[in-house]
Amino acid sequence: MPLKGYGVLAARAVDRRREGSSDTPHYQIHLTDNAGTHYRAAVNVESQQAPSELLYLVDDDLRHPVTALLPAAGSGWTALVSQPGKAALDFIRGNLFDPASMRVLPPDIEGADNDLADLLDHYVQRAIADPSAVLYVFGQRFGPEADIPDKVFGFRPGNGVHDIHMNQGNSGRFRSDDGVWQDGAMLVHLPAENRWIGIFLAFQSQAWHTDDSTGHRIDTAPPRSEDRDEPLRILAALVNPSGSAPGAVTVLNTSPAPVDLRGWQLTDHDQQTLPLPAGLLEPGTTLTVPSGNGFRFGGQGGTITLLDPDGIKVHGVAYTARQAEPEGRTITF
């Protein structure tokens, strides 16, 4: 069954602890909210399933509509409904990043700036030093544990969040944790710079094509997006057209061969579909598809996803309300 108690913690980082090369090492973060409640965020830096090294991606300038849906800074724990259009995260359906851009890092080894703990330390230490910085930690809550001190930082009661990683496409005994719109991550808001940083983690054993209802892996699909050469990508979109003109999405054929567009389609943030017109798209050429068929763009931001004839996601993008504001301007991705 999906995670119990999925949500997001909005709090300020005040301390951190590296666990080194223990049996199940974590990077531990001590946080407090505006009410003075203490929390611990336990971030996995190594997998219990082989391969043990985690996949990571850091977006130093995250621009995604989810940032406008988050609870107030320092508000503590907020339970989230696992569905689109809310603040819940889904690495596959939410178009937060390109999975093929993720890289592998060892958990904790000698030397500077060469492991996952070093990477997390860079951003958490920066947040600790900046009194205006806020962390948004997505995952599953544990506690409060009455009369039990936190096992790492000692505050009472023990309380916090874990499963701060992708939570779908699992195998073996972790398959029961699968679900959609319940992925864990850490977002850092730096108000002084008007900037968001996104830190995303996944296990190499997890699949990147999952069932839309259960979050279980689709065994007939390749395990990761980078394992096959996707021929089409979303290049640009006109999401706020001038006057009564329709919006449009531009698709590029990046492959060296023509692509038969029969069965290909786009979906919006409400899962409305827009079929690509039948025909061949020649190598290196683009196709601009006007909106229609119920497919629409969101003035407060949204997502656009490209599906192949088997219904498998091959590419996805997101845009914010700020990007959508200028009338008649085409957004490039």
Side-chain angles (χ1 to χ4, degrees):
M1 60 184 298
L3 298 183
K4 296 180 180 178
Y6 177 67
V8 60
L9 171 64
R12 183 173 183 274
V14 295
D15 197 4
R16 93 286 185 266
R17 187 81 50 83
R18 299 170 63 137
E19 291 186 336
S21 55
S22 62
D23 290 339
T24 55
H26 290 77
Y27 182 91
Q28 308 282 6
I29 309 171
H30 183 185
L31 306 102
T32 60
D33 65 16
N34 291 344
T37 304
H38 293 258
Y39 304 84
R40 173 169 56 89
V43 185
N44 291 79
V45 294
E46 186 172 11
S47 173
Q48 297 182 43
Q49 284 187 315
S52 62
E53 296 176 337
L54 265 66
L55 294 162
Y56 83 95
L57 182 140
V58 175
D59 187 340
D60 278 304
D61 189 15
L62 178 67
R63 302 184 185 188
H64 192 279
V66 73
T67 59
L69 302 175
L70 296 175
S75 56
W77 178 259
T78 299
L80 296 177
V81 178
S82 294
Q83 64 183 40
K86 307 295 182 181
L89 302 185
D90 190 303
F91 287 6
I92 297 172
R93 296 158 190 83
N95 297 348
L96 288 153
F97 57 89
D98 183 353
S101 299
M102 299 194 89
R103 296 294 179 263
V104 174
L105 265 182
D108 197 332
I109 58 178
E110 290 187 13
D113 299 326
N114 61 358
D115 58 45
L116 188 51
D118 288 336
L119 180 140
L120 293 169
D121 215 33
H122 170 79
Y123 292 99
V124 173
Q125 291 277 48
R126 180 174 181 179
I128 292 173
D130 182 350
S132 68
V134 180
L135 266 61
Y136 288 86
V137 187
F138 294 78
Q140 181 172 213
R141 185 171 187 177
F142 63 86
E145 303 165 323
D147 301 322
I148 299 176
D150 181 76
K151 67 177 185 178
V152 177
F153 299 106
F155 57 80
R156 290 175 182 267
N159 183 37
V161 55
H162 59 165
D163 291 322
I164 307 166
H165 48 68
M166 183 174 170
N167 289 305
Q168 58 183 305
N170 290 296
S171 59
R173 62 190 178 95
F174 297 105
R175 190 172 185 269
S176 61
D177 293 335
D178 284 348
V180 297
W181 296 101
Q182 59 159 31
D183 287 330
M186 186 163 65
L187 307 185
V188 184
H189 187 209
L190 303 174
E193 302 177 28
N194 192 26
R195 186 157 63 98
W196 290 83
I197 298 169
I199 302 173
F200 308 102
L201 302 173
F203 300 119
Q204 294 187 67
S205 58
Q206 292 173 315
W208 284 92
H209 297 290
T210 64
D211 184 88
D212 287 335
S213 298
T214 65
H216 295 327
R217 62 178 57 226
I218 299 174
D219 292 327
T220 56
R224 291 186 61 199
S225 296
E226 67 180 50
D227 291 337
R228 64 176 182 174
D229 183 19
E230 309 292 6
L232 301 183
R233 294 182 68 86
I234 299 169
L235 183 65
L238 173 60
V239 303
N240 185 10
S242 301
S244 60
V249 180
T250 300
V251 176
L252 169 69
N253 179 3
T254 64
S255 75
V259 175
D260 186 349
L261 299 180
R262 285 179 298 179
W264 287 80
Q265 57 186 348
L266 298 163
T267 64
D268 63 15
H269 55 285
D270 292 325
Q271 305 305 304
Q272 295 296 313
T273 60
L274 178 64
L276 271 59
L280 293 179
L281 186 61
E282 297 298 323
T285 62
T286 61
L287 172 69
T288 299
V289 186
S291 59
N293 198 47
F295 181 99
R296 64 186 184 87
F297 303 105
Q300 298 305 309
T303 60
I304 309 169
T305 302
L306 178 63
L307 304 179
D308 70 10
D310 295 322
I312 300 297
K313 173 185 172 181
V314 298
H315 191 223
V317 296
Y319 56 92
T320 65
R322 185 174 181 179
Q323 289 175 301
E325 184 177 0
E327 187 175 288
R329 181 177 181 180
T330 297
I331 303 169
T332 57
F333 303 105

